[in-house]
Amino acid sequence: MLLYRALVPRLGQPAALALVDEVVRAGGVAFLAASIPPLPPAGLAAAARALVPRFFNADGEVTEPGPERVDFTVTRCRFVELMAAVGTPELAPLCCAVDEAFFASQRGVRLDRPETLAAGDPRCAFHFSVLR
């Protein structure tokens, strides 16, 4: 937020947002890589349930709609709340982009997320499925 606010007067909003996106994505992916072990296709549900406590910024629940799929539905994201509270809601989707970039690196498991709180949806819908 502070970097973004410092860059906007110098670069303009679109360029500042693009630069901060790169910084947040690089730092966020590195943080998640150090914090979250790879999701194994075998035992995906158990691995997903073990991850829930690691998402300190979110409230949600894990469900298993099928043997090779796990859903994590987030009903509260403190990053979205924080960005809105400090007057930079346009930064909230950058946190979502970190999740997408990180989970794209997970071999054998795919993330689909059609809804996000940052986009104004009522939930973040994480759908993890085993790739075949």
Side-chain angles (χ1 to χ4, degrees):
M1 294 170 283
L2 296 176
L3 176 62
Y4 176 69
R5 287 182 176 161
L7 291 174
V8 168
R10 292 177 176 90
L11 303 177
Q13 195 269 343
L17 190 60
L19 182 56
V20 170
D21 179 43
E22 288 183 46
V23 171
V24 168
R25 194 176 305 231
V29 168
F31 173 78
L32 290 178
S35 303
I36 298 174
L39 291 174
L44 180 60
R49 288 185 199 293
L51 284 181
V52 171
R54 294 179 186 222
F55 290 103
F56 60 88
N57 64 300
D59 294 341
E61 70 176 0
V62 175
T63 57
E64 244 180 294
E68 295 189 337
R69 183 171 152 186
V70 173
D71 292 346
F72 179 41
T73 303
V74 174
T75 54
R76 181 180 181 204
C77 176
R78 287 163 189 82
F79 292 147
V80 173
E81 294 170 3
L82 174 63
M83 299 306 172
V86 299
T88 56
E90 65 273 26
L91 296 181
L94 304 185
C95 300
C96 302
V98 168
D99 293 337
E100 291 164 10
F102 173 74
F103 286 110
S105 71
Q106 298 290 302
R107 292 190 175 148
V109 176
R110 175 183 168 169
L111 167 64
D112 292 305
R113 191 171 49 182
E115 299 175 277
T116 66
L117 292 164
D121 296 312
R123 71 192 61 80
C124 289
F126 290 76
H127 305 297
F128 295 99
S129 56
V130 175
L131 289 174
R132 295 281 175 210

